[in-house]
Amino acid sequence: MASNSTVPKCPAPMKATSNGVFQGDNPLDFALPLAILQICLVVVLTRGLAFLLRPLRQPRVIAEIVGGVLLGPSALGRNLTYLHAVFPPKSLTVLDTLANLGLLFFLFLVGLELDPKSLRRTGKKALCIAVSGISLPFVLGIGSSFALRATISEGVSEAPFLVFMGVALSITAFPVLARILAELKLLTTDIGQMAMSAAAVNDVAAWILLALAIALSGHKNSPVISVWVLVCGCAFVIVCILVVPPVFKWMENRCPEGEPVNETYVCAILASVLAAGFVTDSIGIHALFGAFVIGVLVPKEGPFAGALVEKVEDLVSGLFLPLYFVSSGLKTNVATIQGAQSWGLLALVISTACIGKILGTVGVSLMCRVPFREALALGFLMNTKGLVELIVLNIGKDRGVLNDQTFAVMVLMALFTTFITTPLVIAVYKPAKIGKTEYKHRAIQRKNLNSQLRILACFHSVRNLPTLINTIEASRGTEKREGFIVYAMHLMELSERSSAIQMVHKARRNGLPFWNKGQNSNTNQIVVAFETFQRLSRVVIRPMTAISPMNTMHEDICASAERKEAAMVILPFHKHQRLDGQLETTRNDFRLVNRRVLEHAPCSVGILVDRGLGGTAQVSASSVDSGVTVIFFGGHDDREALAYGARMAEHPGINLVVIRFTVHPDVVGEIVRVNMDESSNGEPGAAKSADEHFLDEFKEKIVNDGSVRYEERAVRNGAEAVEAIREHSRCNLFLVGRIPEGELVASLNGKCECPELGPVGNLLTSPDFSTTASVLVVQQYRSKLSLESLASLSVRDSPETDSGNS
């Protein structure tokens, strides 16, 4: 009987694979099919919860923690049939092994994202905030540990428990904080930069304290052993710092820039992660410390970091890491929190964690002369918990420092503090409502042509750069002007991938470069392009970056245009040119971004359809020889396009052709007139007189300019207008208004697959119109867009073919 009673405690090991249901095997009795089912269940549940929590702007870690708790004994696990079928005790070893393997490589990725150089550049203000944000909650955590030891945690080792509680309450989750800041558009603000710097310092301090806690928890009766663990751990770090960087540097030197990283080196680094984990686990710290140290020591400037993230991240973050949350959830039983005493202790732990972090951060921030609202928001941000918190708690649970009830209390504390971060920051800190910038020149067309021109030029990737730079070169005007400033904004999507946090190291305050000035410029094609352009041209380029989800990226663009007092925003079209000359959709999300910018921009907007203006490389100022054609029907947008073309004509290498279309006298009145803009109060003569007045001024200025040719074409219908436009299809760039006005436009309004380009833009980008010219479609700024313009932007996306042809 005694032997039988021990069977449940020592279940028979599971075989890896089954022979199939047709041979009488239950797949759930075998390790591999059961692990597959567990992974699929975890992924479906956590992704579903993340989708539901997205409107609340919660980070994905919240969904993963909640999903893990729901799958455990707190919710679904109350059904023992389900629990023993899907998560039987004999499968937990395999589950924990997979989860910890995923955690091992995830901590390696976290190390990759932590740049030691950025820690050395941390300012005194951020350092003081970090120290106060650690020390006060650490002390309060130790204080609350006495209350827990006297009630629900009786009998645990005193020293390890004190340290674990202090660490658990003083942690700030660096990766989770970065995502929250990006979601709230605070990543490149002063408060965002300060929070990230303080959190990075906090992260490093937390790992050191955790190593101390683990060393203390290893041997209850032998303090000497704990000292040996700490000494060996320090020796391991020192040896890694001395040996590993030179080896990685040697590998980096053997991988030329622009070529794939040698697979042998990738395997060697991943193997070194496992080896380091083995060493630290043997020492008695934890395998994840070795992985973290190797990640920190990998060179950040070279190709290694990006290549390793690309190889490892999706598999680890998408499949294996969620298993760690389930592993935590299976240890979390909310039902153990019973009675007024337990719930009171939960309230005590939550209030202690919040008060320590928030008060410590706010107090020092105010002493550093940070405004109260910003200091309060900073306190809420530094109170963010996440995966690192769960790692601390799980290690404490495995080491016997935390019992079931204490573990459940601490998990709920981490969940609550992270969940409230976003709504609290939104409630107390609203930088978007501080006030709009008032400035005069919101369009290219202006009375004082010598005033400074500012353009916000956006791009998605290196592919957009040659045409964008050549467009900027053509727009620089003459030396007599007050100046030409271009803010080149790199639009970077904040995806669900954790490596999106690497963008944080490139992001600086708006208006400053988004790359590290200290790094070799040869490592970044974007840096090379802009540095070369500034050497060859008199244009001032100020690179910046927008890190944002695609559905809110337009907010960053519009806010930056307002802040930088831009006269025009230039956006890349959502299609690119294939080798056969046809346009193919890059991503439909970019199209939605463009439409929203057109609707909300505080200045004029241009959408640039790239067909290789000037070739695939930048053209020097002395080598520019391009033909620009402006198609003019009439109206605000056409006047803006012509004003831009007139500025381009000042470049010695630009030849400008302006074609003004008028209705042939034989058919005047036969063509249906379209609705005029509201600004003319329904009187066609008002728009006509504005066009005539503008054209008279333009013709007066170009009388003695041989590089500009103006011609008027009287046509009977849209077909004749199209034929006239075809005659100029050999130019390099077309400049057109998005919503032209006049009698002829009605006959051009055919099928518009891309309403954001307008009727003429759609004509020039259609497969039926043969040209190699790029197209810049311009919308002039108005305080209120016309009804026709707004209606075209509200049209639903037209279905596109699989090829994405226009």
Side-chain angles (χ1 to χ4, degrees):
M1 293 296 293
S3 61
N4 292 337
S5 64
T6 61
V7 173
K9 297 180 182 179
C10 301
M14 302 178 72
K15 292 184 179 179
T17 58
S18 71
N19 294 319
V21 293
F22 294 108
Q23 298 191 38
D25 284 348
N26 181 359
L28 298 183
D29 292 334
F30 296 84
L32 180 61
L34 183 58
I36 292 172
L37 175 65
Q38 291 169 344
I39 292 173
C40 293
L41 182 62
V42 170
V43 170
V44 170
L45 180 61
T46 55
R47 295 288 172 154
L49 288 172
F51 178 78
L52 295 176
L53 291 173
R54 190 177 300 168
L56 300 178
R57 304 175 80 172
Q58 292 294 331
R60 198 174 75 189
V61 67
I62 291 289
E64 290 171 331
I65 295 175
V66 172
V69 172
L70 291 179
L71 289 172
S74 299
L76 296 176
R78 289 177 177 271
N79 186 328
L80 296 181
T81 303
Y82 147 82
L83 192 63
H84 291 148
V86 181
F87 295 102
K90 58 184 177 181
S91 73
L92 296 184
T93 301
V94 176
L95 180 66
D96 285 343
T97 302
L98 289 174
N100 279 280
L101 191 63
L103 181 66
L104 192 76
F105 282 106
F106 180 80
L107 264 294
F108 168 67
L109 294 175
V110 172
L112 279 177
E113 292 168 351
L114 194 64
D115 188 0
K117 293 181 181 178
S118 66
L119 292 179
R120 290 198 293 269
R121 292 192 297 264
T122 301
K124 292 182 179 179
K125 187 183 296 186
L127 187 61
C128 291
I129 291 172
V131 172
S132 64
I134 295 172
S135 52
L136 182 58
F138 189 86
V139 171
L140 292 179
I142 292 177
S144 62
S145 67
F146 288 107
L148 293 174
R149 286 190 72 244
T151 52
I152 62 175
S153 299
E154 291 180 302
V156 298
S157 300
E158 182 175 359
F161 186 68
L162 297 182
V163 178
F164 266 103
M165 286 297 298
V167 172
L169 268 64
S170 60
I171 281 176
T172 296
F174 179 81
V176 180
L177 176 62
R179 189 164 302 282
I180 290 175
L181 288 170
E183 287 279 356
L184 298 180
K185 312 292 185 188
L186 299 176
L187 198 54
T188 54
T189 62
D190 288 336
I191 186 175
Q193 295 291 315
M194 200 181 305
M196 290 306 299
S197 298
V201 175
N202 194 307
D203 223 24
V204 173
W207 288 115
I208 295 172
L209 291 172
L210 181 57
L212 173 64
I214 292 174
L216 291 174
S217 65
H219 293 269
K220 300 178 181 179
N221 301 320
S222 181
V224 177
I225 299 298
S226 298
V227 173
W228 272 111
V229 170
L230 281 175
V231 170
C232 291
C234 294
F236 167 79
V237 173
I238 293 171
V239 170
C240 285
I241 292 174
L242 294 176
V243 175
V244 173
V247 175
F248 286 166
K249 195 68 178 176
W250 176 81
M251 293 181 181
E252 181 187 355
N253 293 335
R254 296 177 64 87
C255 297
E257 179 68 26
E259 295 185 12
V261 176
N262 192 312
E263 185 183 357
T264 303
Y265 299 146
V266 174
C267 291
I269 293 177
L270 296 181
S272 67
V273 173
L274 296 173
F278 174 80
V279 172
T280 52
D281 190 77
S282 301
I283 291 173
I285 304 177
H286 197 285
L288 58 87
F289 281 97
F292 179 74
V293 170
I294 297 297
V296 171
L297 296 177
V298 170
K300 305 299 187 293
E301 293 85 3
F304 272 174
L308 291 167
V309 166
E310 203 173 308
K311 300 283 186 185
V312 175
E313 183 182 37
D314 288 334
L315 182 64
V316 171
S317 299
L319 291 181
F320 289 132
L321 190 61
L323 292 181
Y324 193 79
F325 293 97
V326 174
S327 178
S328 300
L330 292 174
K331 301 171 187 174
T332 306
N333 189 356
V334 179
T336 59
I337 306 176
Q338 296 178 347
Q341 184 189 67
S342 296
W343 289 105
L345 290 171
L346 173 61
L348 172 67
V349 170
I350 291 176
S351 58
T352 303
C354 295
I355 290 172
K357 270 289 183 187
I358 297 170
L359 282 186
T361 303
V362 171
V364 174
S365 298
L366 292 176
M367 291 173 61
C368 295
R369 298 182 180 179
V370 176
F372 178 74
R373 282 199 316 154
E374 293 187 15
L376 193 58
L378 199 56
F380 293 144
L381 289 168
M382 295 298 290
N383 197 35
T384 303
K385 309 296 182 186
L387 177 62
V388 182
E389 175 84 3
L390 283 189
I391 294 172
V392 173
L393 299 179
N394 274 281
I395 294 175
K397 181 78 163 60
D398 294 338
R399 296 294 176 112
V401 177
L402 304 177
N403 59 24
D404 292 344
Q405 194 170 353
T406 307
F407 183 80
V409 166
M410 299 302 290
V411 168
L412 291 181
M413 180 272 293
L415 187 61
F416 178 81
T417 53
T418 307
F419 187 86
I420 63 172
T421 298
T422 300
L424 287 177
V425 173
I426 292 174
V428 302
Y429 188 70
K430 303 181 179 69
K433 294 188 178 181
I434 291 176
K436 289 189 175 182
T437 304
E438 293 296 332
Y439 65 99
K440 184 177 180 181
H441 299 301
R442 295 177 181 265
I444 304 294
Q445 182 186 350
R446 57 187 67 177
K447 292 182 180 179
N448 182 11
L449 297 179
N450 290 324
S451 58
Q452 187 183 72
L453 176 64
R454 298 184 174 205
I455 288 180
L456 177 65
C458 303
F459 61 96
H460 299 130
S461 65
V462 178
R463 174 190 289 169
N464 307 132
L465 290 184
T467 293
L468 181 64
I469 289 179
N470 291 329
T471 302
I472 293 170
E473 167 61 30
S475 309
R476 62 183 171 87
T478 64
E479 294 181 354
K480 298 179 180 179
R481 300 291 178 91
E482 291 183 5
F484 180 39
I485 299 179
V486 176
Y487 298 95
M489 176 176 275
H490 191 181
L491 304 178
M492 305 177 76
E493 181 187 7
L494 180 73
S495 66
E496 289 293 336
R497 304 178 65 178
S498 63
S499 64
I501 303 159
Q502 284 190 321
M503 301 177 205
V504 175
H505 300 304
K506 297 178 181 179
R508 295 291 180 264
R509 294 178 58 188
N510 286 330
L512 298 180
F514 56 77
W515 60 81
N516 291 328
K517 285 207 177 255
Q519 76 180 49
N520 186 354
S521 63
N522 293 327
T523 63
N524 193 313
Q525 298 178 47
I526 296 174
V527 177
V528 172
F530 283 125
E531 286 182 347
T532 303
F533 179 64
Q534 290 193 90
R535 282 196 294 267
L536 297 176
S537 177
R538 292 182 296 275
V539 179
V540 177
I541 298 284
R542 294 181 179 173
M544 48 202 293
T545 186
I547 307 171
S548 179
M550 294 297 287
N551 62 339
T552 59
M553 188 172 284
H554 68 284
E555 297 176 5
D556 281 352
I557 298 172
C558 294
S560 296
E562 182 101 28
R563 205 158 40 239
K564 300 304 176 185
E565 301 184 4
M568 175 174 280
V569 174
I570 297 180
L571 301 167
F573 190 44
H574 72 279
K575 297 184 181 183
H576 68 272
Q577 190 175 33
R578 299 188 314 208
L579 293 176
D580 61 2
Q582 296 299 316
L583 294 174
E584 182 178 50
T585 299
T586 307
R587 274 186 59 180
N588 216 40
D589 290 346
F590 295 149
R591 180 185 196 179
L592 297 177
V593 172
N594 290 354
R595 287 190 178 187
R596 288 166 179 160
V597 172
L598 284 167
E599 186 174 354
H600 300 288
C603 59
S604 296
V605 181
I607 297 181
L608 182 59
V609 182
D610 182 4
R611 286 200 180 107
L613 177 63
T616 58
Q618 179 196 340
V619 179
S620 63
S622 59
S623 303
V624 173
D625 185 14
S626 301
V628 177
T629 301
V630 177
I631 300 173
F632 191 94
F633 287 93
H636 291 83
D637 294 349
D638 280 16
R639 292 198 294 272
E640 184 75 354
L642 181 52
Y644 200 173
R647 184 181 179 93
M648 285 186 169
E650 297 174 4
H651 195 291
I654 299 292
N655 295 304
L656 178 68
V657 177
V658 181
I659 312 170
R660 189 209 178 177
F661 288 98
T662 59
V663 181
H664 197 281
D666 294 345
V667 294
V668 171
E670 295 181 11
I671 302 177
V672 179
R673 183 181 299 276
V674 296
N675 292 329
M676 307 302 290
D677 190 88
E678 284 80 356
S679 62
S680 63
N681 297 320
E683 299 178 8
K688 182 178 180 181
S689 63
D691 290 341
E692 295 295 344
H693 179 70
F694 180 74
L695 288 171
D696 289 342
E697 290 183 346
F698 173 74
K699 287 185 283 187
E700 185 179 335
K701 292 173 184 173
I702 65 169
V703 170
N704 299 319
D705 192 344
S707 65
V708 181
R709 189 171 87 249
Y710 174 84
E711 60 181 83
E712 293 192 4
R713 300 290 291 268
V715 294
R716 292 177 172 81
N717 51 44
E720 289 189 13
V722 172
E723 289 304 316
I725 295 172
R726 288 186 191 275
E727 296 175 11
H728 297 81
S729 61
R730 297 177 65 86
C731 69
N732 301 100
L733 177 67
F734 278 107
L735 273 170
V736 300
R738 192 176 83 83
I739 303 293
E741 301 169 12
E743 298 179 36
L744 283 169
V745 179
S747 58
L748 289 176
N749 277 332
K751 180 183 178 184
C752 283
E753 292 191 8
C754 299
E756 63 271 23
L757 297 184
V760 183
N762 272 276
L763 168 69
L764 297 175
T765 55
S766 68
D768 299 330
F769 191 91
S770 178
T771 182
T772 58
S774 298
V775 182
L776 182 62
V777 181
V778 177
Q779 173 183 279
Q780 189 178 58
Y781 169 76
R782 279 164 279 176
S783 58
K784 185 178 180 182
L785 293 178
S786 66
L787 294 177
E788 181 182 1
S789 180
L790 290 171
S792 65
L793 293 175
S794 64
V795 174
R796 290 187 177 182
D797 291 344
S798 56
E800 299 186 15
T801 59
D802 293 338
S803 63
N805 294 344
S806 297

